[in-house]
Amino acid sequence: MHELGITRNIVSIVEEAAKGRRVTRVTLDVGRLSGVTPEAILFCFDIVARGTLLDGAKLDINSIEGRGRCRSCGEAFETRTLFEACGCGSRSIERLAGEELKIRNMEIEEAA
Amino acid sequence: MIELEAQILAKNDALAAKNRGWFLGREILALNLVSSPGAGKTTLLERTIRDLKNKIPISVIEGDQATSRDGERIRAAGAAAVQINTGAGCHLEADMVEKGLAELKPPFGSMVMIENVGNLVCPALFDLGESAKVVILSVTEGDDKPLKYPHMFKAAEIMIVNKVDLLPHVDFDVGAAIGNAMKVNPAILALRVSARTGEGMDDWYDWLDHRMLQSRL
């Protein structure tokens, strides 16, 4: 359950950036090969956000598909696991995407 | 909308980089030992300390959710140890290691072993500033574990297959286990040892020697 610690990181980074303003929405990029489960972050988020500037904010998670490029033949393809081999047989794959663990943006409450 | 583009683990990564510089400047080899609970991390450390303590000072940072049992075992073997209880936490983070180092004060040119919490999932994501991750897999587990927990085997520089003295009694296929680890991490090095009987430990010590040399400036 490292997602609890990760969610605490998310809330603390966003709170710092919000500089006292209320946050209404946060959007994350989470790669499918990042080792982090979006459902678990969603589960933790409301609890961790309680009593902070993010209390009641909506959390959107973009799930990023894994992609790699074969170092041997140069072919780029979708990778569903960390250990997929290329069609040419090579297992030396450069990761292009899928390991993201990033806060993309936030929306803050407009001053009335 | 405010663009942030912030790495979620940036704080830990920055502290890990600081630890890494701290080790480099002191020519210390720092290893992050990871495995499932019960794979034999503490036993491997105890034997390593007993066999090497006259050659090289070893200090140990012990991570556990609770109790100071492992720390006591390590001290009894002859190394300085600091125990960090992570409580509900399932892994060590870089700030805990930083605090542990301040307490341990490992000497110049020595070795620091960081025994992470027994868990093959979470510790893979948290860089501690170590020189290398060492993953320990015991033959009483499944030989498909590298495929089930690929992040850890991908992050590790070396895999120790432990408890090989039990091989006659279990179905574990060492070749298959190493093959599975290499599917995830073609560069991973594999050693077969029994920390209990001492079988294969010389290969481990050779690797430590080699890595110690690399940590010299």
Side-chain angles (χ1 to χ4, degrees):
Chain A
M1 264 306 281
H2 48 297
E3 280 85 357
L4 179 59
I6 283 170
T7 309
R8 285 203 186 107
N9 275 303
I10 296 167
V11 170
S12 114
I13 293 168
V14 173
E15 247 209 330
E16 206 170 297
K19 299 192 178 79
R21 298 165 295 184
R22 291 201 66 83
V23 178
T24 54
R25 184 185 292 265
V26 177
T27 306
L28 310 180
D29 282 348
V30 175
R32 288 190 198 152
L33 303 174
S34 68
V36 170
T37 315
E39 290 74 21
I41 295 185
L42 287 167
F43 177 80
C44 297
F45 183 74
D46 290 343
I47 303 160
V48 176
R50 202 169 290 160
T52 73
L53 295 169
L54 287 75
D55 201 334
K58 189 165 179 333
L59 181 66
D60 290 330
I61 300 183
N62 295 324
S63 176
I64 314 278
E65 154 183 297
R67 289 196 65 76
R69 182 187 292 122
C70 176
R71 288 199 184 91
S72 190
C73 74
E75 175 87 2
F77 53 95
E78 183 187 350
T79 52
R80 292 174 192 275
T81 64
L82 283 174
F83 47 88
E84 236 158 75
C86 175
C88 78
S90 165
R91 288 194 180 275
S92 180
I93 310 295
E94 178 195 356
R95 184 81 42 217
L96 299 177
E99 291 184 304
E100 297 78 2
L101 208 49
K102 205 164 76 173
I103 306 167
R104 183 182 273 200
N105 57 47
M106 64 175 180
E107 287 174 22
I108 55 167
E109 207 169 65
E110 298 299 328
Chain B
M1 174 127 62
I2 298 171
E3 296 299 324
L4 288 175
E5 298 290 333
Q7 297 297 334
I8 292 168
L9 295 178
K11 216 172 250 179
N12 184 73
D13 289 346
L15 277 173
K18 195 177 147 202
N19 290 345
R20 187 162 282 119
W22 197 93
F23 290 130
L24 268 174
R26 287 166 181 76
E27 300 189 7
I28 290 173
L29 175 67
L31 300 175
N32 181 359
L33 277 72
V34 292
S35 77
S36 315
K41 288 188 298 300
T42 313
T43 307
L44 179 82
L45 275 180
E46 281 176 305
R47 183 153 202 137
T48 306
I49 292 160
R50 289 210 167 92
D51 289 347
L52 300 187
K53 67 180 171 195
N54 295 325
K55 282 164 68 183
I56 177 160
I58 303 178
S59 333
V60 179
I61 296 178
E62 271 293 335
D64 256 317
Q65 289 203 322
T67 86
S68 57
R69 295 177 62 91
D70 284 359
E72 285 153 22
R73 282 174 62 186
I74 294 298
R75 277 182 217 110
V82 49
Q83 178 95 34
I84 296 171
N85 286 135
T86 56
C90 45
H91 57 268
L92 287 172
E93 296 192 18
D95 63 328
M96 302 173 187
V97 169
E98 186 188 27
K99 284 184 198 118
L101 290 171
E103 202 179 318
L104 264 181
K105 300 187 178 62
F108 189 95
S110 67
M111 204 186 297
V112 172
M113 301 283 204
I114 306 165
E115 185 178 340
N116 218 315
V117 180
N119 177 343
L120 279 177
V121 185
C122 314
L125 289 179
F126 292 86
D127 185 7
L128 305 178
E130 71 272 354
S131 324
K133 283 191 180 73
V134 178
V135 63
I136 296 137
L137 176 64
S138 65
V139 306
T140 52
E141 303 169 57
D143 46 36
D144 55 354
K145 244 181 188 167
L147 300 181
K148 287 182 173 166
Y149 301 95
H151 285 92
M152 190 57 90
F153 288 84
K154 188 169 173 261
E157 185 172 316
I158 180 168
M159 160 166 106
I160 294 186
V161 180
N162 191 24
K163 309 190 189 178
V164 292
D165 53 309
L166 297 177
L167 278 173
H169 312 289
V170 293
D171 288 331
F172 190 92
D173 180 339
V174 179
I178 296 172
N180 286 333
M182 289 181 76
K183 279 184 191 165
V184 180
N185 178 357
I188 200 165
L189 207 78
L191 300 178
R192 306 161 194 231
V193 316
S194 165
R196 195 174 70 87
T197 66
E199 184 182 344
M201 290 296 282
D202 283 341
D203 294 336
W204 165 235
Y205 300 150
D206 284 348
W207 183 81
L208 288 175
D209 256 357
H210 158 76
R211 286 306 258 110
M212 281 299 299
L213 281 174
Q214 288 183 341
S215 61
R216 303 259 160 81
L217 288 172

